[in-house]
Amino acid sequence: MDDFLRRIQLIKDISIQLPVSKIDFTKKFKDNVDESDLGYEPFEMLKSSNNEYKGNILNNNFELKKRRKFFDTNYSFAKVKGELKEENNTLDVKLEINAFGKRMIAFFAFAFIFYLIFFTGAIFSASETNVPFFILPFLLVHMCFMLGIPYFVMRRSVKRMIYDLERDLHYWVTKN
């Protein structure tokens, strides 16, 4: 499944090298990321914080995602898993950015069953009654929009997270 998600660009792997030690990066990570287990928080938007990210860091691994805000149009589905490796005063950060959550599996399964029922119903009822022909193309176009829009939103979320994370990690390292 991960290979398929990589091919359709809903999971991306990147590597960033930072001129900082692992200890300093861990300290800066804790200063700029709110501690969280990244579970579902229904009232996350009501919490006040200056930090843009929430997540956790343990030894050589960390997880983070963008904090949701009121009136934020940038849908942030992407979740980041990172691995830290220090070599010669540089820190190699390997990141896996994944926008396809477990909730999306349920959405796509429900949508597939929904459209399967409607397509079969339209085909079988067309032979018995005078159902207009435009129903099948309409359902096909509707299905493309209902499945395509979430795909493109998740894909944009991955691209946006890559951009924001590269920028923010370098900013964390260079600011005092």
Side-chain angles (χ1 to χ4, degrees):
M1 176 91 166
D2 284 350
D3 292 334
F4 174 70
L5 292 175
R6 278 178 178 45
R7 276 189 273 135
I8 63 171
Q9 298 179 3
L10 294 181
I11 295 179
K12 287 264 189 160
D13 295 312
I14 64 169
S15 181
I16 301 173
Q17 292 186 351
L18 301 170
V20 68
S21 69
K22 187 172 99 172
I23 295 168
D24 291 338
F25 178 81
T26 303
K27 182 181 176 290
K28 291 182 188 267
F29 184 93
K30 289 181 179 180
D31 290 342
N32 292 295
V33 176
D34 291 333
E35 187 70 28
S36 172
D37 64 349
L38 300 181
Y40 178 68
E41 296 178 30
F43 301 109
E44 175 184 353
M45 292 178 240
L46 299 176
K47 294 181 181 177
S48 65
S49 175
N50 291 333
N51 296 334
E52 295 234 357
Y53 299 97
K54 64 179 185 172
N56 54 45
I57 187 166
L58 299 170
N59 297 337
N60 295 328
N61 298 319
F62 65 89
E63 290 183 323
L64 63 87
K65 72 189 291 191
K66 278 221 177 223
R67 175 178 296 288
R68 291 188 180 170
K69 299 175 188 171
F70 270 126
F71 307 114
D72 189 13
T73 58
N74 296 323
Y75 300 106
S76 54
F77 293 109
K79 182 178 178 183
V80 179
K81 290 182 182 179
E83 185 178 315
L84 305 172
K85 209 177 270 187
E86 187 174 9
E87 296 175 6
N88 300 334
N89 293 335
T90 60
L91 187 66
D92 187 28
V93 183
K94 293 183 180 175
L95 303 170
E96 178 188 79
I97 300 160
N98 184 355
F100 192 81
K102 292 178 182 173
R103 286 180 273 161
M104 293 309 293
I105 293 172
F107 170 77
F108 282 115
F110 176 75
F112 177 74
I113 291 169
F114 174 81
Y115 286 111
L116 183 66
I117 289 169
F118 272 92
F119 275 120
T120 55
I123 290 171
F124 287 127
S125 68
S127 62
E128 297 172 3
T129 63
N130 284 335
V131 175
F133 175 72
F134 70 87
I135 294 217
L136 288 177
F138 173 75
L139 275 176
L140 188 62
V141 169
H142 190 270
M143 181 181 75
C144 289
F145 278 114
M146 292 301 290
L147 299 178
I149 290 173
Y151 165 73
F152 286 113
V153 167
M154 288 186 292
R155 195 167 148 185
R156 175 149 167 57
S157 177
V158 169
K159 289 179 183 179
R160 179 110 178 138
M161 181 61 88
I162 290 171
Y163 173 78
D164 288 344
L165 212 53
E166 285 178 343
R167 184 191 66 200
D168 290 340
L169 290 179
H170 284 289
Y171 175 73
W172 293 351
V173 170
T174 58
K175 87 172 181 183
N176 293 332

